[in-house]
Amino acid sequence: MSARERIIPVFVPHVGCPNNCVFCNQRKISGQLIPAGPENVTKAIEEAASLIPDGGKPQLAFYGGSFTAIPAEQQIALLSAAYRYIESGFLESVRVSTRPDAVDTEILERLQSYGVRTVEIGAQSLDSEVLLKSGRGHTAKDVFKAAELVKSFGFRLVIQMMTGLPGDTLEKSVKTAEDICRIAPYGVRIYPTVIIKDTALYDLWRAGRYKEHTVEDAVNVCSRIVPLFEKNGIEVIRIGLNPTDDLSSGEAAGGAYHPALGELVRSRILLDRMRIMLKGVQEGSSAVFRGPAKLHSQMIGQHRQNLNILKNEFSLERISVSSSEDNEIRVEITD
């Protein structure tokens, strides 16, 4: 269970997915081989019960597959298992993850009747070429249509996007982010592409037909799009795949897999901000950046990377980070 979001996850890997997207092996991504049944829903909730703070109502989340594309009777069986705990007052609601071409009025009415309050749509990209080369099987138009319908029912909408897919570029990822801002979801999840074994993308990469989207590439792209989302009031719920034993032990063969990718992105955003603050500083000066303690590690960067970059780039004598009495970040320059 996620303590921060109070989410109890239940994985339904590959269930309902009509396409084999080039990047996808949900069994490796989720760390689960067998799709969940109603008994797994009950078990997950009961095991999480002791971890819930007093007065806190968690959500149950169906992740991994395209929930609304699975047969209706399976949807109902899974939702019914969860709905008992909504009726008892233990669960606050349910969230599901699905494809944009697996959403219609009948489906959304069903979800609504079983206590679903959040619908996550896996858009991945809003560029036609990227969607085609990635084998998504849907269009950007499908994403816009599904998002509008989901919002019209009053669901909380979350959009999932990926960076570094086949045919993608920095400019295309930024354009996708701008289009998502126009959709105006509640939140987004950003999943830079990871090359996972036993996928078509892994074969393309091994054959030299796909250029790896590295951790550095992902940090560069995400440091551009995260501020864009936040400027538009869209919560960035997650950056990067959730680490699993399978991925960490070698199933992630390449690409942007890093257990602290979000931290790297936040650190890069602060580096860019600190660069701007040092503009025009004289060579040989000393700089002290003051900011809230919770941001110190991000300001400093891994292995003091940010401070070393700034010191060399601006020919500083010394540079350090210190605490401020408020949440503002400021710099003090001395000759």
Short mmCIF file of all heavy atoms in Angstrom, two decimals, residues 237-268:
data_model
loop_
_atom_site.label_atom_id
_atom_site.label_comp_id
_atom_site.label_asym_id
_atom_site.label_seq_id
_atom_site.Cartn_x
_atom_site.Cartn_y
_atom_site.Cartn_z
N ILE A 237 1.84 12.95 -10.36
CA ILE A 237 1.68 11.91 -9.34
C ILE A 237 2.91 11.02 -9.26
O ILE A 237 3.32 10.61 -8.18
CB ILE A 237 0.43 11.06 -9.65
CG1 ILE A 237 -0.82 11.95 -9.59
CG2 ILE A 237 0.29 9.90 -8.67
CD1 ILE A 237 -2.08 11.26 -10.09
N ARG A 238 3.49 10.73 -10.41
CA ARG A 238 4.67 9.84 -10.42
C ARG A 238 5.53 10.13 -11.63
O ARG A 238 5.02 10.47 -12.70
CB ARG A 238 4.26 8.37 -10.40
CG ARG A 238 5.46 7.45 -10.39
CD ARG A 238 5.19 6.04 -9.97
NE ARG A 238 6.48 5.38 -9.77
CZ ARG A 238 7.16 5.37 -8.65
NH1 ARG A 238 6.67 5.95 -7.59
NH2 ARG A 238 8.33 4.76 -8.57
N ILE A 239 6.85 9.96 -11.46
CA ILE A 239 7.80 10.03 -12.57
C ILE A 239 8.60 8.73 -12.56
O ILE A 239 9.33 8.46 -11.60
CB ILE A 239 8.76 11.22 -12.44
CG1 ILE A 239 7.99 12.54 -12.33
CG2 ILE A 239 9.72 11.27 -13.62
CD1 ILE A 239 8.86 13.73 -11.95
N GLY A 240 8.45 7.90 -13.58
CA GLY A 240 9.21 6.66 -13.67
C GLY A 240 8.46 5.46 -13.12
O GLY A 240 7.57 5.58 -12.28
N LEU A 241 8.84 4.28 -13.63
CA LEU A 241 8.22 3.05 -13.18
C LEU A 241 8.51 2.80 -11.70
O LEU A 241 9.60 3.10 -11.21
CB LEU A 241 8.74 1.86 -13.99
CG LEU A 241 8.28 1.74 -15.44
CD1 LEU A 241 8.96 0.54 -16.11
CD2 LEU A 241 6.77 1.61 -15.54
N ASN A 242 7.53 2.21 -11.03
CA ASN A 242 7.74 1.81 -9.65
C ASN A 242 8.74 0.65 -9.62
O ASN A 242 8.58 -0.33 -10.35
CB ASN A 242 6.40 1.36 -9.05
CG ASN A 242 6.48 1.19 -7.55
OD1 ASN A 242 7.07 2.02 -6.86
ND2 ASN A 242 5.91 0.13 -7.05
N PRO A 243 9.82 0.74 -8.85
CA PRO A 243 10.81 -0.34 -8.83
C PRO A 243 10.21 -1.67 -8.38
O PRO A 243 9.39 -1.71 -7.46
CB PRO A 243 11.85 0.15 -7.82
CG PRO A 243 11.68 1.63 -7.76
CD PRO A 243 10.21 1.87 -7.98
N THR A 244 10.58 -2.75 -9.07
CA THR A 244 10.19 -4.10 -8.66
C THR A 244 11.45 -4.96 -8.65
O THR A 244 12.48 -4.60 -9.23
CB THR A 244 9.17 -4.72 -9.63
OG1 THR A 244 9.81 -4.96 -10.91
CG2 THR A 244 7.97 -3.81 -9.83
N ASP A 245 11.36 -6.11 -8.00
CA ASP A 245 12.51 -7.02 -7.95
C ASP A 245 12.91 -7.47 -9.36
O ASP A 245 14.10 -7.57 -9.68
CB ASP A 245 12.18 -8.24 -7.08
CG ASP A 245 12.08 -7.89 -5.60
OD1 ASP A 245 12.61 -6.83 -5.21
OD2 ASP A 245 11.46 -8.67 -4.86
N ASP A 246 11.90 -7.75 -10.21
CA ASP A 246 12.20 -8.20 -11.57
C ASP A 246 12.97 -7.14 -12.34
O ASP A 246 13.99 -7.42 -12.97
CB ASP A 246 10.90 -8.53 -12.32
CG ASP A 246 10.35 -9.89 -11.95
OD1 ASP A 246 11.12 -10.71 -11.41
OD2 ASP A 246 9.16 -10.14 -12.20
N LEU A 247 12.48 -5.91 -12.30
CA LEU A 247 13.13 -4.84 -13.06
C LEU A 247 14.53 -4.57 -12.53
O LEU A 247 15.47 -4.39 -13.30
CB LEU A 247 12.28 -3.57 -12.99
CG LEU A 247 10.91 -3.62 -13.70
CD1 LEU A 247 10.16 -2.31 -13.46
CD2 LEU A 247 11.06 -3.88 -15.19
N SER A 248 14.67 -4.54 -11.22
CA SER A 248 15.96 -4.21 -10.62
C SER A 248 16.99 -5.32 -10.77
O SER A 248 18.19 -5.08 -10.67
CB SER A 248 15.78 -3.87 -9.14
OG SER A 248 14.96 -2.73 -8.98
N SER A 249 16.52 -6.55 -11.02
CA SER A 249 17.45 -7.67 -11.13
C SER A 249 17.83 -7.99 -12.57
O SER A 249 18.43 -9.02 -12.84
CB SER A 249 16.85 -8.92 -10.48
OG SER A 249 15.65 -9.31 -11.14
N GLY A 250 17.47 -7.12 -13.51
CA GLY A 250 17.95 -7.30 -14.87
C GLY A 250 16.92 -7.35 -15.96
O GLY A 250 17.26 -7.31 -17.15
N GLU A 251 15.64 -7.43 -15.60
CA GLU A 251 14.60 -7.45 -16.64
C GLU A 251 14.51 -6.10 -17.35
O GLU A 251 14.07 -6.03 -18.49
CB GLU A 251 13.24 -7.84 -16.04
CG GLU A 251 13.18 -9.26 -15.53
CD GLU A 251 13.46 -10.31 -16.60
OE1 GLU A 251 13.18 -10.02 -17.78
OE2 GLU A 251 13.96 -11.39 -16.25
N ALA A 252 14.89 -5.03 -16.67
CA ALA A 252 15.02 -3.73 -17.31
C ALA A 252 16.40 -3.70 -17.97
O ALA A 252 17.41 -3.41 -17.32
CB ALA A 252 14.88 -2.60 -16.30
N ALA A 253 16.45 -4.02 -19.25
CA ALA A 253 17.73 -4.19 -19.95
C ALA A 253 18.37 -2.87 -20.35
O ALA A 253 19.57 -2.80 -20.61
CB ALA A 253 17.52 -5.06 -21.19
N GLY A 254 17.58 -1.82 -20.42
CA GLY A 254 18.10 -0.52 -20.82
C GLY A 254 17.01 0.52 -20.69
O GLY A 254 15.91 0.26 -20.21
N GLY A 255 17.33 1.72 -21.13
CA GLY A 255 16.35 2.80 -21.06
C GLY A 255 16.37 3.52 -19.73
O GLY A 255 17.32 3.43 -18.95
N ALA A 256 15.28 4.22 -19.46
CA ALA A 256 15.23 5.17 -18.33
C ALA A 256 14.71 4.51 -17.07
O ALA A 256 13.73 4.96 -16.47
CB ALA A 256 14.38 6.37 -18.71
N TYR A 257 15.37 3.45 -16.62
CA TYR A 257 14.99 2.83 -15.35
C TYR A 257 15.95 3.28 -14.26
O TYR A 257 17.16 3.05 -14.35
CB TYR A 257 14.99 1.31 -15.46
CG TYR A 257 14.57 0.63 -14.16
CD1 TYR A 257 13.26 0.75 -13.71
CD2 TYR A 257 15.48 -0.08 -13.39
CE1 TYR A 257 12.86 0.17 -12.52
CE2 TYR A 257 15.09 -0.67 -12.20
CZ TYR A 257 13.78 -0.55 -11.77
OH TYR A 257 13.38 -1.13 -10.58
N HIS A 258 15.41 3.91 -13.25
CA HIS A 258 16.20 4.36 -12.10
C HIS A 258 15.25 4.44 -10.91
O HIS A 258 14.17 5.02 -11.01
CB HIS A 258 16.81 5.74 -12.38
CG HIS A 258 17.85 6.17 -11.40
ND1 HIS A 258 17.55 6.54 -10.11
CD2 HIS A 258 19.20 6.27 -11.51
CE1 HIS A 258 18.65 6.86 -9.47
NE2 HIS A 258 19.67 6.71 -10.29
N PRO A 259 15.63 3.85 -9.78
CA PRO A 259 14.72 3.83 -8.63
C PRO A 259 14.40 5.19 -8.05
O PRO A 259 13.43 5.34 -7.31
CB PRO A 259 15.46 2.96 -7.61
CG PRO A 259 16.89 2.99 -8.03
CD PRO A 259 16.87 3.12 -9.52
N ALA A 260 15.21 6.21 -8.40
CA ALA A 260 14.97 7.56 -7.88
C ALA A 260 14.88 8.55 -9.03
O ALA A 260 15.39 9.67 -8.93
CB ALA A 260 16.06 7.96 -6.90
N LEU A 261 14.22 8.16 -10.11
CA LEU A 261 14.15 9.02 -11.28
C LEU A 261 13.47 10.36 -10.97
O LEU A 261 13.92 11.42 -11.42
CB LEU A 261 13.42 8.31 -12.42
CG LEU A 261 13.41 9.05 -13.77
CD1 LEU A 261 14.82 9.25 -14.30
CD2 LEU A 261 12.57 8.28 -14.79
N GLY A 262 12.41 10.30 -10.20
CA GLY A 262 11.72 11.54 -9.85
C GLY A 262 12.62 12.51 -9.12
O GLY A 262 12.57 13.72 -9.35
N GLU A 263 13.47 12.00 -8.23
CA GLU A 263 14.40 12.84 -7.49
C GLU A 263 15.42 13.49 -8.43
O GLU A 263 15.76 14.66 -8.29
CB GLU A 263 15.12 11.99 -6.44
CG GLU A 263 16.00 12.78 -5.50
CD GLU A 263 15.25 13.50 -4.39
OE1 GLU A 263 14.01 13.36 -4.30
OE2 GLU A 263 15.90 14.23 -3.62
N LEU A 264 15.88 12.72 -9.43
CA LEU A 264 16.82 13.26 -10.41
C LEU A 264 16.19 14.39 -11.22
O LEU A 264 16.83 15.40 -11.50
CB LEU A 264 17.30 12.16 -11.35
CG LEU A 264 18.11 11.01 -10.74
CD1 LEU A 264 18.52 10.02 -11.83
CD2 LEU A 264 19.34 11.52 -10.00
N VAL A 265 14.93 14.20 -11.57
CA VAL A 265 14.23 15.22 -12.35
C VAL A 265 14.05 16.49 -11.52
O VAL A 265 14.31 17.61 -12.00
CB VAL A 265 12.87 14.69 -12.83
CG1 VAL A 265 12.04 15.82 -13.46
CG2 VAL A 265 13.05 13.57 -13.84
N ARG A 266 13.62 16.34 -10.29
CA ARG A 266 13.42 17.51 -9.42
C ARG A 266 14.73 18.24 -9.19
O ARG A 266 14.77 19.48 -9.15
CB ARG A 266 12.84 17.07 -8.07
CG ARG A 266 11.47 16.43 -8.17
CD ARG A 266 10.40 17.42 -8.48
NE ARG A 266 9.08 16.81 -8.56
CZ ARG A 266 7.98 17.45 -8.91
NH1 ARG A 266 8.05 18.75 -9.23
NH2 ARG A 266 6.81 16.84 -8.98
N SER A 267 15.81 17.47 -9.08
CA SER A 267 17.13 18.08 -8.90
C SER A 267 17.54 18.88 -10.14
O SER A 267 18.10 19.97 -10.04
CB SER A 267 18.16 17.00 -8.59
OG SER A 267 19.42 17.56 -8.32
N ARG A 268 17.24 18.34 -11.33
CA ARG A 268 17.58 19.05 -12.57
C ARG A 268 16.76 20.33 -12.70
O ARG A 268 17.27 21.36 -13.16
CB ARG A 268 17.33 18.14 -13.77
CG ARG A 268 17.62 18.80 -15.13
CD ARG A 268 19.08 19.13 -15.31
NE ARG A 268 19.92 17.96 -15.16
CZ ARG A 268 20.13 17.06 -16.13
NH1 ARG A 268 19.60 17.23 -17.33
NH2 ARG A 268 20.90 16.01 -15.91
#
